Amino acid sequence: MNLPLPSHGWMPEADDHTAPHRPAHWVPPGCHKAVGADGQVLYLAQCGVACYPNYGTDPTRRIARHGLCSDCELHVPCPICTREEDELNRLRLR
């Protein structure tokens, strides 16, 4: 079953923590999927941790309440850098 995934790519850990807010991890586009013991589809984050899209597409950015995984933060593409690179490539094609 394909679940709606957040466009920002951040999802909470699927691990059964007792803490109120599990860490958020970055799940890149085209990530690997796995099936948990309970049959739930899990997504593997950049750092290798299994995550579940608890908030669906997360239109209200509920993931912001979670702390971010420092390993994943190192691998998230910078949207500003990407826009600048796109603009430079567009200018080069003229």
Side-chain angles (χ1 to χ4, degrees):
M1 175 168 119
N2 286 330
L3 299 169
L5 301 178
S7 60
H8 51 68
W10 290 94
M11 293 184 214
E13 249 180 58
D15 197 7
D16 186 23
H17 282 281
T18 55
H21 296 296
R22 295 166 285 167
H25 298 273
W26 185 65
V27 178
C31 65
H32 296 288
K33 296 180 193 175
V35 178
D38 58 359
Q40 183 171 278
V41 176
L42 303 171
Y43 297 85
L44 298 181
Q46 179 67 39
C47 67
V49 170
C51 297
Y52 186 73
N54 293 12
Y55 308 130
T57 58
D58 196 17
T60 59
R61 299 208 29 95
R62 291 171 60 191
I63 198 68
R65 298 180 299 181
H66 297 257
L68 301 180
C69 167
S70 58
D71 289 340
C72 287
E73 279 188 295
L74 296 173
H75 294 54
V76 177
C78 170
I80 294 169
C81 300
T82 304
R83 279 193 298 258
E84 289 172 357
E85 288 171 7
D86 288 346
E87 181 65 16
L88 287 173
N89 287 332
R90 188 181 65 75
L91 293 171
R92 286 185 193 127
L93 294 175
R94 284 187 180 176

